[in-house]
Amino acid sequence: MRILQLQNNFFTGELPGQLGSFKRLTMLDVGGNKLSGRIPEWIGMSLEYLVVLRLSSNSFSGSVPLQGFNASVYAGNQDLCGLPLPIKCGDEPIHGPPSGGKHEDDANVQEHAISYDQIWLYSSIALGFIVGFWGVCGSLLLKSSWRHAYFQSVENIRDRLYVTVVVSVANLRRNFKAK
C-alpha cells in the first residue's frame, strides 16, 4: 500500500502535477490545507490504484471530476459542484434520492450507501463460506466412513503429539539430572 498524507500543513496553490507520477498511490490525503483551483483530471486518470482520497477543507472550485468517491471526500470546499455533491453545476441535473419521507442530507446518504463492489465482495465471502463449510462438514455428516477416517486421523495426530511431548520431557529431565 502506498500512502501520501499531507493533511493540515497549510499548503497553498494548486495540487502539483508531479503527484500524478505516483502511479501506484492507493491513498492521497491533502485535507485541511489551503489548496485552491480546480481538482485536476490526472487524479482519476493517472492514479488508477487510488482507493482513499481526501480533499476536504480546502478551497477547491469547479466541478468534481471524480464520481467514484462519496461527498465527504470534498466536504468543506464551498465552490465545488457536481455529483456526488448536492450542488449542481450549471445545467447538470442532480441525481439524488427522491424528496419526501425522511430528510437526510446527501452526504449522509452517500456515506452509508453500499457500492456494487462491496455487495460482490460480501456475497463472494458468504458463498465461499457456505460452500467450504458444507463441503467439509456436509461430507463428514453424510459419509460415515469419511467421518470415522477423519476422527481417526485426528486421534492419531493427538497420540503422536502426546508421545512426542512425553519423550521430550523425559529427555530434558534426564539431561538435567546428568549435569
Side-chain angles (χ1 to χ4, degrees), residues 7-29:
Q7 73 273 11
N8 303 321
N9 283 303
F10 301 105
F11 290 135
T12 60
E14 296 184 354
L15 276 175
Q18 292 89 340
L19 292 177
S21 64
F22 298 131
K23 302 286 185 206
R24 296 197 177 269
L25 197 64
T26 58
M27 177 181 170
L28 175 61
D29 185 351

Side-chain angles (χ1 to χ4, degrees), residues 28-49:
L28 175 61
D29 185 351
V30 293
N33 287 295
K34 306 243 185 245
L35 297 170
S36 60
R38 298 179 74 79
I39 298 172
E41 298 283 334
W42 55 258
I43 289 180
M45 297 181 334
S46 298
L47 306 178
E48 58 191 60
Y49 295 100

Side-chain angles (χ1 to χ4, degrees), residues 14 19 23 31 33 39 49 53 72-73 90-91 127 132 141 162 164 171:
E14 296 184 354
L19 292 177
K23 302 286 185 206
N33 287 295
I39 298 172
Y49 295 100
L53 177 66
S72 65
V73 168
D91 295 331
L127 184 62
L141 276 171
Y162 176 75
T164 303
N171 285 338

